[in-house]
Amino acid sequence: MCEQCASLFNISRGTLLHIPPSLALMICDILYSPSLRSIPYLSMESNYQPSSLPTPDELQIALRLRWPDDLRFNNATQMLDSSRPIFIPSRIQGTLTDAEHHELQDQLLAAVASRTMAQTFGRAAIELRTRSPLLNRPLDIPTVCLQGRVHPTNAPLDLSQTEMLKTMIEWSSYYSGVAAGLRLPDSTCLQLHSEWLSMSASCQQSNVSAGLMLAFGLNGHITNMNLFTIHELLTANDRLMSISILLGYAVSRRGTADLQVYKMVVTHLPFLMGPTLLELHIDPMVQTAALVSLGLLFACTSHIGIINQLINEIGRSAPPEQEPSVERYSYSLAAGFAIGLIALGKGDDLSTDVPFAENIPSPVSRLVVLMEGGRRSQCVFPVSGMNEYRNGSHPSDHRTSVPQSNHAKESENVNIHLTGGAAAVALGLVYLRTSNKWAANCLKIPSTLLAVETIRPDLLLIRTVARSLVLWDDIRGSVEWVEAQVPSIILIHKKRIFSEESRHLERHDWSVDDETVAQSWKL
């Protein structure tokens, strides 16, 4: 009977392809599925209530009806499954001894384990906002298995217990929680209660729970949580949890300058709290995340006071009693991103000095000093220094004793290897898509080898990317445009170094550092 109705109304496969997918699926269910010919869900007495998002089983049914012969989604899901052990062949090469063979197996397991960690990013992309959670149970989070199994004996094979392995397990669990939380819809489509959010976060391990909190922030659900619960999580002295809460709240309240979130961020940034009798020991990674959170919270507000303090943080010297931290470069780079976010695309508003208010250089001029080098007194102006500038004097005129670090030797000039990348990122974001010629010339790579040798190769790459952000409309998708961003002197010596003929010729020009040319070109 159903086939006769289809032929009566002239419904064919071509007809179904030209109507809305939801209507086509319903017609397929009615006409071509034997198990659904009774269509009980169309009757008025039915209690069927469609959910906002399909369940995984409903999603599979819809996929099979829409694409009956396409298995790419299932294949991609299986490829991104990180809950299964890693299978290692029992024999990689037959000519090796047992000790050498075990060493190769360990190396293969370590390489595949790194790939397994990256699967969480793919899973977050393929499952982005596709699940509606069950509110009577916590969110299900898949595990990340880094254990190996020797095929075909199925004997277990574990990675060597090192600090690197602990870090891998920590971050893989964290990103697994982020990927699981991103499956939920955002706050505009689904409102989740504070109790369910707290239950889902508390039922997991600490690293997984921290990643889940970051996902709640990215989707806008973290603002529904009780502030008392947030306070307990922040005072638990968990590094990853603090990072997730700060970033999550800042993303949820981005561009609003919310006072409550600002107080939360400031308590993790000692330079904004002012003098205190308490000895605060805040993890440098948490401070780095707090800087990014500050930039997100005040995004596109051009808050000049915070910008000045962030510039001071980039150019300040090492603290006297604090040992040099390995996160110091990331801290400086995070401050550069924060400046760029606060004044995103508003460089013209910051390029002029404010008359009759502060007789100090403009923020962009100070960023240029941090990028190209110069005296610290030209770009770092603490509160006392700004007051002296307002009175018409220069802070360097007063020979006050500056506390020197006990662990790192600091000079009167800024260290461009530490501040250059942050300043370049800030300038690129501040002048984003403005086509400002002055900013583009400041970010341009020097045209002489002597000047190029004073800049690290990775900073050359950052300056090139930042300059492209400024000249966004001039970007072209061609090899010629890419080579046009490289100084001509580098291109000339690159052809000499990487050509086949140069390998057999004796070198005559020893004034050119081939290593500098090679690193500048490759990066």
Side-chain angles (χ1 to χ4, degrees):
M1 184 64 182
C2 294
E3 287 78 3
Q4 295 178 1
C5 292
S7 60
L8 178 63
F9 292 98
N10 196 19
I11 297 177
S12 62
R13 176 172 294 185
T15 306
L16 296 177
L17 294 177
H18 292 84
I19 62 177
S22 58
L23 184 59
L25 291 175
M26 184 177 294
I27 293 176
C28 288
D29 286 344
I30 297 173
L31 298 182
Y32 301 110
S33 180
S35 60
L36 297 177
R37 286 179 180 176
S38 58
I39 54 174
Y41 54 87
L42 293 180
S43 61
M44 298 299 295
E45 294 79 14
S46 175
N47 295 325
Y48 176 77
Q49 296 291 336
S51 59
S52 58
L53 287 176
T55 63
D57 295 336
E58 293 174 345
L59 184 61
Q60 289 296 327
I61 294 175
L63 290 174
R64 294 279 63 77
L65 291 174
R66 185 66 179 87
W67 297 285
D69 300 325
D70 196 341
L71 301 178
R72 287 178 294 179
F73 181 81
N74 290 339
N75 293 337
T77 304
Q78 293 176 1
M79 291 171 58
L80 297 174
D81 186 8
S82 59
S83 60
R84 300 178 181 179
I86 303 170
F87 285 97
I88 305 296
S90 58
R91 278 293 174 185
I92 301 177
Q93 293 182 7
T95 59
L96 299 178
T97 62
D98 291 342
E100 294 174 342
H101 192 74
H102 287 310
E103 184 178 356
L104 278 180
Q105 286 182 337
D106 293 338
Q107 294 177 0
L108 179 59
L109 179 60
V112 179
S114 301
R115 186 187 66 183
T116 303
M117 290 179 55
Q119 290 175 349
T120 56
F121 295 93
R123 193 165 64 247
I126 199 173
E127 297 179 346
L128 180 64
R129 297 177 180 175
T130 58
R131 302 291 177 87
S132 182
L134 298 176
L135 300 182
N136 59 349
R137 64 182 65 179
L139 188 64
D140 182 28
I141 299 178
T143 59
V144 178
C145 182
L146 300 180
Q147 186 186 43
R149 293 280 181 174
V150 179
H151 182 75
T153 60
N154 206 30
L157 181 64
D158 295 325
L159 291 169
S160 302
Q161 297 295 327
T162 59
E163 291 296 329
M164 180 62 69
L165 177 61
K166 294 180 181 179
T167 304
M168 290 175 60
I169 295 175
E170 180 183 20
W171 284 105
S172 61
S173 302
Y174 179 82
Y175 289 125
S176 179
V178 175
L182 290 178
R183 293 183 298 181
L184 303 177
D186 61 351
S187 58
T188 59
C189 300
L190 179 65
Q191 291 293 327
L192 297 176
H193 203 267
S194 175
E195 280 73 12
W196 185 86
L197 296 173
S198 302
M199 176 182 63
S200 298
S202 60
C203 292
Q204 309 296 335
Q205 299 178 359
S206 60
N207 300 331
V208 179
S209 178
L212 196 59
M213 291 295 293
L214 178 59
F216 289 160
L218 295 176
N219 283 330
H221 298 299
I222 196 172
T223 55
N224 297 332
M225 296 187 67
N226 193 339
L227 288 179
F228 180 76
T229 304
I230 297 296
H231 180 266
E232 284 186 337
L233 294 175
L234 285 175
T235 55
N237 200 21
D238 189 342
R239 180 185 61 176
L240 292 180
M241 180 60 72
S242 300
I243 291 173
S244 300
I245 292 177
L246 292 176
L247 291 176
Y249 255 101
V251 170
S252 299
R253 299 295 188 187
R254 59 188 177 275
T256 61
D258 186 87
L259 182 60
Q260 190 72 30
V261 183
Y262 175 71
K263 292 179 180 179
M264 186 186 305
V265 173
V266 165
T267 55
H268 296 83
L269 294 174
F271 73 94
L272 288 177
M273 287 190 293
T276 177
L277 298 177
L278 301 176
E279 292 186 5
L280 300 176
H281 300 283
I282 304 174
D283 191 281
M285 189 178 294
V286 177
Q287 296 186 42
T288 302
L291 285 176
V292 179
S293 304
L294 189 67
L296 291 170
L297 184 63
F298 287 88
C300 301
T301 60
S302 299
H303 196 293
I304 192 65
I306 295 180
I307 290 176
N308 285 327
Q309 289 179 306
L310 290 174
I311 294 177
N312 291 338
E313 283 299 297
I314 295 176
R316 70 178 177 88
S317 58
E321 299 297 335
Q322 182 179 350
E323 294 186 6
S325 173
V326 294
E327 288 88 2
R328 189 180 177 189
Y329 180 77
S330 60
Y331 180 87
S332 176
L333 191 62
F337 273 102
I339 295 172
L341 290 173
I342 293 174
L344 188 64
K346 299 182 179 181
D348 295 334
D349 299 337
L350 302 179
S351 59
T352 57
D353 300 331
V354 180
F356 310 111
E358 292 181 354
N359 189 22
I360 62 174
S362 61
V364 292
S365 301
R366 296 162 64 188
L367 288 174
V368 171
V369 175
L370 290 172
M371 182 180 64
E372 297 180 348
R375 295 179 64 87
R376 201 181 304 274
S377 58
Q378 297 176 351
C379 55
V380 178
F381 299 98
V383 177
S384 59
M386 290 184 179
N387 293 332
E388 293 172 357
Y389 245 102
R390 294 189 186 99
N391 296 330
S393 61
H394 195 282
S396 60
D397 297 338
H398 304 274
R399 300 299 179 181
T400 56
S401 60
V402 179
Q404 298 292 329
S405 173
N406 299 330
H407 303 277
K409 182 176 177 57
E410 298 280 354
S411 65
E412 296 180 354
N413 297 331
V414 295
N415 183 4
I416 61 173
H417 300 300
L418 186 64
T419 63
V425 168
L427 283 173
L429 293 176
V430 165
Y431 287 97
L432 177 66
R433 301 192 70 171
T434 59
S435 299
N436 188 286
K437 299 301 181 182
W438 176 83
N441 291 331
C442 291
L443 292 167
K444 189 176 181 180
I445 299 177
S447 57
T448 61
L449 284 178
L450 183 62
V452 170
E453 288 180 350
T454 61
I455 306 174
R456 287 208 323 258
D458 58 325
L459 297 183
L460 293 176
L461 176 62
I462 293 177
R463 290 177 63 164
T464 303
V465 174
R467 186 172 183 269
S468 301
L469 292 177
V470 177
L471 304 176
W472 182 271
D473 297 332
D474 297 338
I475 296 178
R476 298 292 181 268
S478 62
V479 178
E480 292 76 12
W481 180 87
V482 174
E483 292 185 349
Q485 312 307 310
V486 183
S488 58
I489 189 68
I490 298 293
L491 292 176
I492 294 174
H493 290 287
K494 182 267 301 184
K495 296 178 181 178
R496 177 184 59 82
I497 294 173
F498 292 101
S499 63
E500 293 291 338
E501 299 177 356
S502 63
R503 299 180 181 180
H504 308 287
L505 297 177
E506 184 179 357
R507 181 178 176 182
H508 298 285
D509 188 5
W510 293 96
S511 62
V512 178
D513 187 3
D514 290 348
E515 185 176 358
T516 300
V517 175
Q519 290 181 354
S520 302
W521 166 252
K522 289 182 178 180
L523 289 176

